[in-house]
Amino acid sequence: MAAKSTSKTPRRTNQSLSHLLRLPAGRVDLSRLDTAATHGYPGKGKDDAAALTAALAPQISDLQERLFANGRAAPDTAKRVLVLLQGMDTSGKGGVIRHAMGMVDPQGIQLTSFKAPTVEERQHHYLWRIEKALPSPGMIGIFDRSQYEDVLVVRVEQLVPVSEWSKRYDEINALEKQITDEGTTVIKCFLNVSFEEQKARLAARLASPDKYWKYNPKDIDARAKWPAYQQAYADALERCNTDYAPWFVIPADRKWYRNWAVAQLLREHLVGMDLGWPEATFDVAAEKARVAKA
Ligand code: AMP
Ligand code: MG
C-alpha cells in the first residue's frame, strides 16, 4: 500500500475537474465539444503528464484502501464506486484502465469488459449482465463499455427495433438511480476522440506488428457510420445526464491529458465520499495487552 495521506480537498468546487468536465444539462451537440482541450490541466503539457498523474497515486491509494476496509468491516453499509468508460474505438478505454486505474490496488478493482452479448447473455434482459457486474461493497468497479452499448451499437446497427431501444434511456436512468441510492458513486466518462485522431490511431495500429492485435477490421465499419454514432452518443449523453449519475466528457485526442483527467476525476470523487477508517470491532487496549503477552 502506498503512503498515507489525509489531505482535505474541498468537495466539487468551481475549480474542480469534476465541475469543468461535467456535461451541462440540456441539448448535447458533440460538434461543439473540443476533443483536444486540456481543461483544468495543472502542468505545461505532455512532458509533465506522467509525473502529474503519478502524483495522484498516493491519495487515490489511501482513499481506495479506506473504501476497501469499510467493505470488509461493514459490507451492508459500505460505499462502492463505478467508473464507466464509453467512447468510440481508439478513444482509449484500455489506456485509461492501464494508466489511470492501474494506480489502484488490483484487489480493490472489479473490471468488466462488455463485448457483443454471448449466447447466454442474449437469453436475458440486456441489463442482466450489467447488474451481475456491479461493484461489491468497498470495491471500485470499472466498466469497459457498458449498458450504453444497448443504446449505441444496438441503435446504430438496428439490432433491436426503435420501440425497444427508445425505452432504454429511462430504464438505464432507473438502474443508475437505484445503485446510487444504495451507495454507489457512479463516474460516467465519455472519452471524446475526434474523427481525425481516430484515423491516425487506426493507422498507427497498422504501422507496427506489436499493435496489430488492437486492430479490428470491423472498426472501419463503425467508423463509416461515425455521424450515426455521434447522434446516438449525443442522445445517450443528453437523456442519461442525471444529477445522481452525470456524464463527464473527457477530451481524448491527447492521451496524456485523458489519463490524467480520469485519475483526477476518480481522486475528486473519492475525496468527496468522506471515507473514514472502520472502527475496531474489538477492545483495542485489551488486544494490545494480549499481544504483549503472546
Ligand atoms: P472492444 O471493446 O474493441 O473489445 O469491442 C467490443 C465490441 O463489442 C464492440 O464492437 C462493441 O460495439 C460490441 N458490443 C458491446 N456491447 C454490445 C451490445 N450490447 N450489443 C452489441 N454489441 C456490443
Ligand atoms: Mg476495439
Side-chain angles (χ1 to χ4, degrees), residues 31-279:
S31 69
R32 296 173 65 97
L33 297 172
D34 182 356
T35 54
T38 58
H39 304 299
Y41 183 69
K44 291 199 186 68
K46 184 177 180 173
D47 288 349
D48 46 19
L52 283 166
T53 305
L56 300 172
Q59 194 180 15
I60 289 176
S61 186
D62 170 64
L63 293 169
Q64 181 273 330
E65 192 180 352
R66 291 166 187 248
L67 180 71
F68 187 84
N70 282 289
R72 280 292 168 87
D76 292 346
T77 52
K79 295 170 181 170
R80 314 152 191 237
V81 174
L82 176 60
V83 178
L84 182 155
L85 303 173
Q86 279 291 158
M88 294 296 284
D89 295 309
T90 77
S91 61
K93 300 180 286 294
V96 162
I97 292 166
R98 189 162 55 252
H99 296 287
M101 308 310 299
M103 297 195 292
V104 179
D105 181 353
Q107 294 177 95
I109 294 279
Q110 287 175 330
L111 168 65
T112 311
S113 298
F114 292 99
K115 311 287 181 188
T118 61
V119 173
E120 187 190 19
E121 286 168 348
R122 273 192 269 121
Q123 286 163 355
H124 294 270
H125 189 265
Y126 71 98
L127 292 175
W128 178 76
R129 65 177 186 166
I130 302 298
E131 286 169 354
K132 274 205 309 170
L134 291 170
S136 309
M139 299 294 283
I140 300 181
I142 305 171
F143 280 5
D144 171 3
R145 303 186 189 266
S146 67
Q147 60 270 26
Y148 287 98
E149 291 295 327
D150 292 282
V151 290
L152 294 165
V153 63
V154 166
R155 165 176 164 170
V156 173
E157 298 298 337
Q158 302 180 7
L159 302 180
V160 303
V162 182
S163 58
E164 193 67 36
W165 60 254
S166 56
K167 292 187 299 195
R168 293 183 173 176
Y169 303 97
D170 291 342
E171 292 169 358
I172 289 171
N173 285 337
L175 173 69
E176 293 176 1
K177 177 81 171 75
Q178 186 196 327
I179 66 172
T180 52
D181 282 350
E182 289 167 359
T184 301
T185 296
V186 179
I187 313 172
K188 300 192 296 196
C189 300
F190 169 51
L191 307 183
N192 190 20
V193 72
S194 67
F195 188 66
E196 297 72 29
E197 180 62 21
Q198 187 192 55
K199 182 170 185 144
R201 291 184 186 173
L202 289 169
R205 289 178 179 186
L206 290 174
S208 58
D210 63 346
K211 292 210 176 96
Y212 291 167
W213 66 275
K214 291 189 190 182
Y215 186 84
N216 181 346
K218 284 193 190 141
D219 293 350
I220 306 301
D221 302 332
R223 180 172 168 80
K225 295 177 183 166
W226 186 273
Y229 272 102
Q230 292 293 102
Q231 190 55 57
Y233 262 106
D235 288 347
L237 292 168
E238 185 173 317
R239 296 200 50 188
C240 300
N241 190 28
T242 57
D243 288 340
Y244 46 89
W247 274 107
F248 297 95
V249 179
I250 322 291
D253 280 0
R254 301 173 200 262
K255 294 175 183 174
W256 52 268
Y257 173 77
R258 175 201 70 198
N259 295 338
W260 171 81
V262 175
Q264 173 68 8
L265 276 186
L266 175 63
R267 189 191 74 86
E268 289 180 7
H269 280 80
L270 288 170
V271 167
M273 290 169 75
D274 279 331
L275 295 159
W277 292 104
E279 298 288 333

